[in-house]
Each structure stands twice: as structure tokens, then as C-alpha cells.
Amino acid sequence: DRLVLFPDTVSSFGSTDIEITRILTGATHAVGGKWETEPDVIDLAKAAGYKVFWLSNQNDFFLNTVFGREADYFTLVNNGLGQRSDTSLDEKLYPEIDKALADPAKLKLIIVHSIGSHQHYSLRYPAKFAVFDNVDDDVSKAMAEKWWKLRTARNEYDNTILYTDEFLTSIIGRLDKASDPNVDMLYVSDHAQDVGHLTNAWGHQFKLESGFTVPMFLWTKSNDGLLANKSEFEKRAYQTDELDWTLLGLLGVSSKDSMPEFDLLGPDYKPWPRVIDKRPYIPGRSHVRAADDN
């Protein structure tokens, strides 16, 4: 009852580095260079008095260098080589999250970058979460004619989703028990994966909407004002390259460059034409004509 869901949310790009850069800066699908010339969410939060934490389970050299090193506290729990074969479960972030929550700073922005459902899917969860392997369910029936490796990948992907659900639930539990009553948590995936949804392949998808439709939700501990407008917020369409304005709105931070019309939770929000693969995005219809492309 303290969740606000945003079911009509899409990414603006199909992979991590570009989209997270757009999420945290003024860069968008239309104007990409702003991340190099304008202050980002971390800069502005620090200027407003926030202590910023960057807690990562992705050994991504670019993001950890550009954004992680901007934070007041940076940690990387993944000791791999930044490759798909890295084995580092997101639960390794729990001690770092606990440490950040216990920090005495009055204002905190904690950015948790999980590895989520990145390939290889089978490396992203403990054995006890492999509950969809060889299960005769609606998904397996729908994919009965698909290549067996694709069916296996889909089951493993679904296992990662179950594990991510447990991971997010655990974080919410930690926030709920924290002494600070003024806590909000915004979760979003930077991009999606096509696992036999519209193609006969699995992994990143840069053309079809199966690579762009993402989950996003807000959990709030005590912000009844947000919950009072829940039904209105949940109807709003969004694209995550403008998410920096929503993050800054949650932090109560504004600047001369603020664009409140892109604040998903603000009174001045206005819908705008969303674009994926340089084409207008229409939910459920975008790029269906290209669905046979493998």
C-alpha cells in the first residue's frame, strides 16, 4: 500500500552505459552531449548538502569512473572483469546498503546499481531461485516451438526476475526499519531484454519495444502526499532519459536549468512524444512490423 507503480515506462536506449548516463544527466536521446557540459544529479545533490553513495555490483569502468568517483562514498562489490561471465550476486550489496543507512549524514542520496538480469542469466541468482527450470507453465507452452536454448534462456531470465524481486523486497525491508522516517526509494531498470518475446533470440534489443519497456516504482515510508496522488501518477507515461528531473524533484533540488515538465511526480508534468530507435513509441504496437528480424 506504499508503492506507486509506473506501468507505462520505457527506456530510451537498449543498453546500460548510455541509458544510465541519460538517467543521471541532462543528456537525452535527442541531445547526447549534455552529460559532459552540465552538472548531473550527483553534482547538484552534493551542492544542496546531500552525502551521495554509489554502491555498485556492476564492474562497469565507464559508469564507476564518471559517476561512482563523483560520489562521496563509492564501493564496488563485484571483483570480476566487467564481463558477462562475472559471478557476483546482488545480495553482496546488502552490507554496503546497511552501512549507508547507518551513516549519520542528515541528507543522503544512495544509488544502488545492481547487476539484475544481465547475461549470463544463470549466473545472476542462487540455486534455490531456479524455480522456472523445466516447469510446464503458460510461458513454456507459448514457447514450445522455440529453439531449446531460447526456452532455457527464458526460464533462467524468469529466475533472475524472481531473485530481483527478493532483492528489492529486502531493501524495502531495510528502509522500513531505518530510524529515518523520511525515506523514498525509486527503482527502475535501465533497459529490458528480449527473451523470445518478439524474436528468436535473447539479450539486448535495440529496435523492438521488448528491449525498452521497463519496470519502475516508488516506495515511500511516510510521504502521504505522494500516495494521495497515486492514481494520477500511475497513469502518467514516461521515458527514463528524463528521469534526472524526477530524481531532483524527490530530492527537493532545483537549478536554473530545471525542467519541471519532466518531473513525473510534480504538478507541472506534461506528457511528451516518446521515441525508441528514432521512431515514435506506441505501446504494444511499436516495431511489430519488424518482429521477424532475428
Side-chain angles (χ1 to χ4, degrees):
D1 60 350
R2 307 203 72 80
L3 283 176
V4 183
L5 307 176
F6 308 104
D8 189 5
T9 301
V10 290
S11 171
S12 72
F13 196 71
S15 67
T16 298
D17 283 3
I18 290 177
E19 190 60 24
I20 289 186
T21 299
R22 292 174 180 177
I23 284 173
L24 292 176
T25 76
T28 68
H29 72 276
V31 184
K34 283 188 174 183
W35 72 272
E36 297 178 290
T37 59
E38 297 181 5
D40 56 39
V41 170
I42 294 174
D43 293 324
L44 293 169
K46 289 172 66 174
Y50 281 84
K51 183 172 184 178
V52 180
F53 300 77
W54 182 278
L55 315 178
S56 180
N57 189 32
Q58 280 206 43
N59 197 352
D60 186 295
F61 179 79
F62 174 77
L63 294 176
N64 291 331
T65 300
V66 173
F67 299 112
R69 298 300 179 183
E70 284 185 339
D72 298 292
Y73 179 83
F74 164 73
T75 189
L76 175 65
V77 300
N78 187 332
N79 295 319
L81 299 175
Q83 300 174 348
R84 290 184 176 184
S85 58
D86 287 357
T87 303
S88 182
L89 298 176
D90 282 331
E91 61 197 56
K92 290 174 67 175
L93 287 163
Y94 291 153
E96 295 296 336
I97 294 170
D98 292 337
K99 188 187 302 182
L101 291 176
D103 189 277
K106 292 184 178 180
L107 295 173
K108 290 182 281 190
L109 169 61
I110 304 171
I111 299 173
V112 179
H113 187 199
S114 64
I115 201 167
S117 299
H118 280 87
Q119 296 185 70
H120 299 294
Y121 306 134
S122 61
L123 303 178
R124 304 295 168 241
Y125 52 87
K128 67 179 181 179
F129 284 87
V131 302
F132 294 109
D133 293 357
N134 303 312
V135 173
D136 184 20
D137 57 14
D138 290 342
V139 173
S140 64
K141 291 184 175 80
M143 299 188 66
E145 303 301 321
K146 301 272 188 178
W147 186 28
W148 70 268
K149 285 190 176 181
L150 176 55
R151 297 199 304 270
T152 299
R154 176 63 166 266
N155 288 335
E156 292 172 349
Y157 175 79
D158 288 347
N159 294 336
T160 73
I161 299 299
L162 185 66
Y163 179 63
T164 294
D165 182 68
E166 171 71 16
F167 175 68
L168 297 173
T169 298
S170 181
I171 293 178
I172 289 174
R174 285 168 156 78
L175 296 176
D176 203 24
K177 294 176 182 178
S179 58
D180 189 345
N182 301 307
V183 177
D184 298 317
M185 170 182 165
L186 184 68
Y187 171 78
V188 67
S189 292
D190 51 347
H191 61 85
Q193 299 264 298
D194 190 320
V195 191
H197 293 95
L198 296 176
T199 71
N200 289 315
W202 62 92
H204 291 73
Q205 171 55 251
F206 297 96
K207 293 184 177 296
L208 310 182
E209 62 183 329
S210 52
F212 295 82
T213 53
V214 294
M216 185 163 71
F217 69 76
L218 173 77
W219 178 87
T220 182
K221 189 171 184 177
S222 61
N223 195 330
D224 293 332
L226 283 176
L227 295 174
N229 294 299
K230 174 178 177 174
S231 59
E232 177 188 346
F233 293 149
E234 292 185 338
K235 295 175 185 176
R236 292 180 173 180
Y238 207 69
Q239 189 155 27
T240 56
D241 54 343
E242 301 289 4
L243 193 63
D244 44 319
W245 306 116
T246 297
L247 292 171
L248 292 169
L250 279 170
L251 296 173
V253 175
S254 62
S255 73
K256 64 181 178 60
D257 299 315
S258 290
M259 302 180 73
E261 65 270 27
F262 294 122
D263 182 354
L264 179 60
L265 304 170
D268 298 316
Y269 163 86
K270 296 178 182 178
W272 71 96
R274 295 177 290 171
V275 174
I276 62 175
D277 190 34
K278 300 180 181 179
R279 302 172 186 172
Y281 171 65
I282 305 172
R285 294 176 56 192
S286 286
H287 308 176
V288 171
R289 63 181 181 80
D292 291 332
D293 294 343
N294 294 324

